[in-house]
């Protein structure tokens, strides 16, 4: 299959001071993303074959997070890149970096970390469950920041193993500006995880028992997402995972068709809840059913949560009353 061509913004001309950013971000281009996923999968297959021949091995054990070295990089936060990102996620231009763009800056470094041989989980099939972000201070555009990404912890889950990836950004003055925790699920078995009681219902019974995510909320709008949404976000974020690019590439990786990036939805929700998505705040997003492309996502708001001016909660609901995501935002000035 021909790899979809996604000419990321980092392939365009840059001056010397942007060289480091381009070198790091190019690893997250289409070819780099495909090679990371396929390379990790090939190594996993070899490991499983060796285990089958020799029996269980300690090499398959989950290591201590402290034994996995963090990855650090210095990245230029270019105003042109932030502006392109804002256009895709329906945000107005700003003087400082969009909070969703800062996640995009850290993403290829997280991929570099998880692509290492020492990282025990497979990339293929890794499910993004949630993100928790603290924007400590605005990050000024056209400045160089330090990014550090590490494994914070592994956990057990009834469907496999979870990993929490911590990304931190220090601004040009050396102050901690941004903290981002991403939680992923690997559906490979972890100990007796699959043998535990309480497994959820499946198929039609699960759909029948699913609560209506609209109850108690007010409809405030909808997003019409064309089939090009995944490719557009890939260009401005560097996340060129094939499950987002086209129906053909998504099906090769076990999906029914192309789906929207979860962090596209989170970044667009951030653009919707605040006029300044670079200001100090805290926000979390929990992902539910994938957003199939093309589709319409209806946005519901929990008005009861905002009566005390502390939290704004948005919920994205797709066809068949399927919850796609829940986004919760709180300004740093209203915490406590």
């Amino acid at each position: 299959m021909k790899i979809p061509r996604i000419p990321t913004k980092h392939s365009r001309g840059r001056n010397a001071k942007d060289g480091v950013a381009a070198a790091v971000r190019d690893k997250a281009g289409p070819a780099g993303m495909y090679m990371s996923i396929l390379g990790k999968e090939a190594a996993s297959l070899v490991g499983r074959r060796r285990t089958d021949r020799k029996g269980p091995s300690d090499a398959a054990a989950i290591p201590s997070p402290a034994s996995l070295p963090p990855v650090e990089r210095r990245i230029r936060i270019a105003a042109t890149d932030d502006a392109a990102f804002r256009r895709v996620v329906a945000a107005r231009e700003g003087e400082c970096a969009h909070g969703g763009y800062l996640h995009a800056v850290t993403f290829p470094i997280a991929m570099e970390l998880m692509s290492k041989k020492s990282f025990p989980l497979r990339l293929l099939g890794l499910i993004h469950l949630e993100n928790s972000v603290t924007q400590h201070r605005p990050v000024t555009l056209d400045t160089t920041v330090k990014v550090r990404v590490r494994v914070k912890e592994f956990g057990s889950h009834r469907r496999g193993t979870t990993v929490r990836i911590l990304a931190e950004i220090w601004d040009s003055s050396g102050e901690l500006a941004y903290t981002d925790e991403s939680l992923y699920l690997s559906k490979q078995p972890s100990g007796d995880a699959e043998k535990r009681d309480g497994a959820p219902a499946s198929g039609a019974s699960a759909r029948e028992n699913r609560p209506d995510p609209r109850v108690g909320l007010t409809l405030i709008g909808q997003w019409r997402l064309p089939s090009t949404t995944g490719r557009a976000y890939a260009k401005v974020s560097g996340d060129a995972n094939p499950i987002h690019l086209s129906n053909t590439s998504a099906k090769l990786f076990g999906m029914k068709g192309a789906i929207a990036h979860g962090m596209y939805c989170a970044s667009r929700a951030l653009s919707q809840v605040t006029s300044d998505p670079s200001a100090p705040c805290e926000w979390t997003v929990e992902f539910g059913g994938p957003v199939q492309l093309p589709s319409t996502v209806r946005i519901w708001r929990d008005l009861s949560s905002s009566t005390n001016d502390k939290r704004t909660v948005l919920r994205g609901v797709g066809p068949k009353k399927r919850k796609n995501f829940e986004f919760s935002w709180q300004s740093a000035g209203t915490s406590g």
Side-chain angles (χ1 to χ4, degrees):
M1 184 202 75
K2 184 178 180 181
I3 296 175
R5 185 175 182 273
I6 304 296
T8 68
K9 57 184 181 296
H10 308 286
S11 65
R12 298 200 297 266
R14 284 281 185 269
N15 56 33
K17 66 183 179 181
D18 292 330
V20 174
V24 173
R25 300 299 298 277
D26 282 347
K27 294 181 180 180
M33 185 70 71
Y34 276 73
M35 293 306 295
S36 293
I37 293 174
L38 294 176
K40 187 75 174 180
E41 183 66 10
S44 178
L45 288 172
V46 172
R48 288 204 301 272
R49 287 173 182 170
R50 289 176 178 172
T51 299
D52 291 341
R53 290 197 301 265
K54 299 180 180 180
S57 169
D58 290 339
I62 299 297
S64 164
S67 69
L68 303 176
V71 178
E72 295 186 0
R73 296 286 183 269
R74 297 189 69 82
I75 303 294
R76 184 79 176 174
I77 306 297
T80 52
D81 293 346
D82 178 77
F85 184 92
R86 286 172 178 262
R87 287 192 292 271
V88 170
V89 300
R92 292 178 292 181
E93 290 190 9
E95 298 180 355
C96 295
H98 189 290
Y101 178 67
L102 293 177
H103 171 85
V105 166
T106 70
F107 176 77
I109 305 173
M111 281 295 299
E112 181 181 350
L113 174 68
M114 293 189 287
S115 298
K116 292 181 179 295
K117 292 181 179 180
S118 57
F119 187 77
L121 305 180
R122 296 165 53 190
L123 291 179
L124 185 60
L126 205 64
I127 300 171
H128 194 177
L129 297 180
E130 62 183 55
N131 259 74
S132 299
V133 170
T134 300
Q135 178 89 38
H136 302 282
R137 51 194 287 138
V139 175
T140 304
L141 297 172
D142 290 328
T143 61
T144 298
V145 301
K146 185 179 88 168
V147 180
R148 183 173 186 262
V149 179
R150 65 180 175 88
V151 175
K152 183 176 181 180
E153 64 182 10
F154 292 101
S156 61
H157 189 279
R158 56 180 172 75
R159 298 173 63 192
T161 301
T162 60
V163 60
R164 193 174 295 274
I165 303 295
L166 173 63
E168 298 167 300
I169 296 178
W170 285 266
D171 65 17
S172 56
S173 68
E175 295 290 333
L176 181 63
Y178 187 83
T179 303
D180 183 352
E181 293 189 12
S182 301
L183 182 66
Y184 298 95
L185 167 67
S186 173
K187 293 173 67 175
Q188 62 191 34
S190 174
D192 296 327
E194 292 189 339
K195 300 179 182 179
R196 295 175 185 170
D197 295 332
S202 60
S205 60
R207 289 191 293 271
E208 293 172 359
N209 295 329
R210 185 185 300 149
D212 188 336
R214 305 168 301 175
V215 173
L217 279 68
T218 300
L219 181 66
I220 62 169
Q222 62 182 16
W223 302 343
R224 296 187 183 277
L225 307 183
S227 59
T228 56
T229 300
R231 295 191 292 276
Y233 185 79
K235 289 180 183 179
V236 299
S237 71
D239 183 352
N241 189 319
I243 65 174
H244 304 301
L245 303 184
S246 71
N247 287 337
T248 301
S249 60
K251 288 177 181 178
L252 285 177
F253 287 83
M255 306 297 292
K256 295 180 180 179
I259 62 174
H261 296 73
M263 291 307 293
Y264 164 83
C265 295
S267 298
R268 186 159 177 178
L270 178 62
S271 302
Q272 185 160 343
V273 300
T274 175
S275 60
D276 185 3
S278 66
C281 64
E282 296 178 359
W283 55 269
T284 61
V285 60
E286 297 179 0
F287 301 112
V291 178
Q292 299 291 334
L293 296 173
S295 69
T296 297
V297 178
R298 288 176 171 78
I299 306 302
W300 297 74
R301 180 169 176 174
D302 183 357
L303 297 179
S304 64
S305 65
S306 59
T307 54
N308 54 8
D309 293 327
K310 288 189 175 182
R311 281 198 312 144
T312 299
V313 176
L314 299 184
R315 187 173 293 170
V317 180
K320 300 181 180 180
K321 298 182 290 188
R322 186 78 180 270
K323 183 175 77 171
N324 298 130
F325 66 86
E326 181 161 312
F327 181 88
S328 176
W329 174 89
Q330 181 171 296
S331 170
T334 60
S335 61

